[in-house]
Amino acid sequence: MNRSFLLALLTCCATVAHAQETPVPVDRSVYRDYTPAPAADSRLMTAATATTLPSHVNNATAKWFPPIFNQTGGSCGVSSRVGYMMTYEWNAFRLSDASLAANRPVLIPRASTAVYDLQGRRVTTPHLPRGIYIRNGHKWVVK
């Protein structure tokens, strides 16, 4: 029994090692900032002149921080991470202004045509009978 277990374990390890060696083709033309040679960012190599850290930092005053937007559907975490933090990091790296629409992500509201009853069941009937339904997070009354 120990031999069969060892054989199965070695087979698993060999399969995982082989899977990690398989290269995945990547279209590098899609990534405009890609360079094959590692390059250190010279802006990060400057010596710190301040001896103490500030009590707070307001990133919203930086030109890299995007303006406030309305979240329409989706997750608050996604809006926060992609809409604000990732945009800030991209623009800070590229030294570009986040107030320009070209330097912000396009936030497309997710419009759903699905209709649900108050029990949360999806309703697929073309003509809804009388009642209260939910569509796009809003209540609809069919009289």
Side-chain angles (χ1 to χ4, degrees), residues 11-49:
T11 305
C12 268
C13 290
T15 304
V16 169
H18 177 68
Q20 291 176 352
E21 293 174 8
T22 307
V24 177
V26 175
D27 182 12
R28 303 227 189 261
S29 65
V30 176
Y31 306 103
R32 65 179 182 174
D33 294 336
Y34 174 76
T35 56
D41 189 351
S42 60
R43 293 173 290 166
L44 301 175
M45 299 301 190
T46 59
T49 56

Side-chain angles (χ1 to χ4, degrees), residues 113-117 120-129 133-134:
T113 58
V115 178
Y116 299 90
D117 63 11
R121 297 176 299 214
R122 189 173 184 152
V123 179
T124 57
T125 312
H127 299 289
L128 296 173
Y133 299 94
I134 299 172

Side-chain angles (χ1 to χ4, degrees), residues 73-141:
S75 166
C76 295
V78 172
S79 292
S80 168
R81 182 66 188 132
V82 174
Y84 292 114
M85 297 174 71
M86 192 167 151
T87 304
Y88 178 88
E89 291 168 9
W90 279 352
N91 289 323
F93 179 77
R94 294 179 176 153
L95 297 176
S96 54
D97 191 355
S99 65
L100 303 174
N103 297 329
R104 292 193 307 259
V106 178
L107 302 173
I108 300 171
R110 181 179 49 173
S112 173
T113 58
V115 178
Y116 299 90
D117 63 11
L118 292 180
Q119 283 77 33
R121 297 176 299 214
R122 189 173 184 152
V123 179
T124 57
T125 312
H127 299 289
L128 296 173
R130 294 176 57 164
I132 301 172
Y133 299 94
I134 299 172
R135 186 176 82 190
N136 269 343
H138 298 285
K139 293 179 196 164
W140 292 80
V141 178

